[in-house]
């Protein structure tokens, strides 16, 4: 049985003062019926604060992105080793906002996945189609292309050590969630595609759903066979909503 994972992606939100309250409230709520593995991914500058406040809490933390390079002349970038310096366990890779706003290509996403995995971080690889692509019936082709790029670079076994997040781009931050069945169909497709190369990897890998997950739709999404948890944006900025989603497992 795969353990359910609930990861909060704060995106570019937060402040030292606000984070203190948010992190303490999440920490305080963990004893109360949360069995999922919980991860918080704040903006990089707040990772040290997060590490200090969550140390020993059982909650994990991670980065929202990393450089594919180890070190050197890459102004503004953060390496896998730097994330590990602050005990990050996870890192989000290839979020749709990185792909669209920072022109990250499938090849670059694959390099980042490899860099994270080699360093010992657990990559959370985001895949998902645009609305036009869904309407054109291209969802599976897009997701397959994004997935295959990573498998080609890192190998199928590396995928077993990571997490996949299916995030239909049209559902991110829009309030339009994929229906549980729509999400399940793509999750099953991802698992089948992995199974075609290695049945064990397909069975083992956690596939999260992301895109407008809220306390009132989390339980029905998490109940689907191939949905192993969620990547939560907006609702992870409010302790009560985030904890309600964690408890919906
Ligand atoms: P959302 O974001 O929950 O605000 O839709 C999800 C994400 O982008 O990871």
């Amino acid at each position: 049985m795969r353990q359910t994972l609930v990861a909060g992606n704060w995106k570019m939100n937060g402040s030292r003062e606000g984070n203190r309250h948010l992190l303490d409230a999440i920490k305080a709520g963990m004893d109360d019926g949360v069995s999922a593995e919980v991860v918080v991914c704040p903006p990089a500058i707040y990772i040290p604060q997060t590490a200090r406040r969550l140390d020993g809490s059982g909650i994990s933390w991670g980065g929202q992105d990393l450089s594919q390079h180890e070190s050197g002349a890459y102004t503004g970038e953060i390496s896998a080793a730097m994330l590990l310096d602050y005990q990050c366990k996870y890192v989000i890779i290839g979020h749709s906002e990185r792909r669209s706003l920072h022109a990250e290509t499938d090849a670059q996403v694959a390099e980042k996945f490899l860099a994270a995995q080699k360093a010992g971080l657990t990559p959370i690889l985001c895949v998902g189609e645009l609305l036009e692509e869904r309407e054109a019936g291209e969802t599976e082709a897009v997701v397959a292309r994004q997935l295959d790029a990573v498998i080609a670079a890192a190998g199928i076994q590396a995928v077993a050590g990571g997490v996949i997040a299916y995030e239909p781009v049209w559902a991110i931050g829009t309030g339009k969630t994929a229906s549980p069945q729509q999400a399940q169909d793509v999750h099953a497709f991802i698992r089948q595609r992995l199974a075609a190369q290695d049945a064990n990897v397909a069975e083992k890998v956690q596939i999260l759903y992301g895109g407008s997950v809220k306390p009132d739709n989390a339980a029905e999404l998490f109940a689907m066979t191939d949905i192993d948890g969620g990547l939560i944006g907006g609702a992870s900025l409010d302790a009560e909503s985030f904890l309600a989603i964690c408890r919906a497992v």
Side-chain angles (χ1 to χ4, degrees):
M1 188 67 186
R2 295 175 295 269
Q3 195 195 4
T4 308
L5 176 72
V6 180
N9 172 12
W10 291 6
K11 311 194 178 186
M12 198 175 76
N13 293 291
S15 64
R16 261 174 90 182
E17 176 64 16
N19 301 348
R20 199 176 303 148
H21 296 293
L22 180 53
L23 292 167
D24 286 355
I26 295 171
K27 201 161 65 169
M30 288 300 289
D31 294 336
D32 187 14
V34 177
S35 58
E37 157 121 1
V38 177
V39 186
V40 174
C41 300
I45 196 166
Y46 296 127
I47 289 174
Q49 180 192 25
T50 302
R52 261 193 325 273
R53 289 204 100 75
L54 295 185
D55 186 33
S57 68
I59 303 171
S60 301
W61 53 93
Q64 296 179 6
D65 180 38
L66 90 176
S67 170
Q68 66 268 40
H69 305 290
E70 278 180 27
S71 65
Y74 303 103
T75 301
E77 297 289 304
I78 289 176
S79 70
M82 293 171 189
L83 294 176
L84 285 167
D85 242 354
Y86 285 91
Q87 299 82 43
C88 285
K89 192 167 160 196
Y90 293 88
V91 60
I92 300 171
I93 307 273
H95 189 278
S96 75
E97 287 148 24
R98 300 291 319 172
R99 292 180 190 259
S100 66
L101 303 173
H102 299 269
E104 284 189 10
T105 61
D106 289 337
Q108 195 181 1
V109 169
E111 281 182 58
K112 290 186 174 201
F113 185 98
L114 198 56
Q117 191 259 334
K118 273 191 180 159
L121 289 159
T122 301
I124 301 176
L125 170 69
C126 299
V127 297
E129 81 288 2
L130 304 170
L131 183 60
E132 310 85 275
E133 293 167 335
R134 173 160 284 262
E135 285 172 349
E138 290 164 4
T139 299
E140 292 189 353
V142 169
V143 169
R145 191 198 72 220
Q146 294 172 333
L147 207 55
D148 290 353
V150 171
I151 298 172
I156 185 76
Q157 293 306 325
V159 175
V163 173
I164 295 169
Y166 169 57
E167 298 206 304
V169 179
W170 48 272
I172 296 176
T174 57
K176 268 190 245 158
T177 326
S179 71
Q181 193 57 53
Q182 277 177 321
Q184 164 61 26
D185 289 347
V186 181
H187 283 231
F189 169 75
I190 293 171
R191 213 177 291 283
Q192 279 154 20
R193 191 149 187 107
L194 297 173
Q197 296 200 32
D198 190 310
N200 279 334
V201 171
E203 181 46 43
K204 201 174 149 208
V205 76
Q206 289 161 312
I207 309 178
L208 315 182
Y209 168 78
S212 299
V213 178
K214 301 280 180 272
D216 61 1
N217 60 26
E220 53 176 5
L221 285 161
F222 296 166
M224 304 308 284
T225 321
D226 288 297
I227 302 185
D228 305 314
L231 181 54
I232 321 299
S236 72
L237 297 170
D238 177 80
E240 245 175 73
S241 300
F242 188 56
L243 285 164
I245 293 169
C246 295
R247 280 189 214 105
V249 170

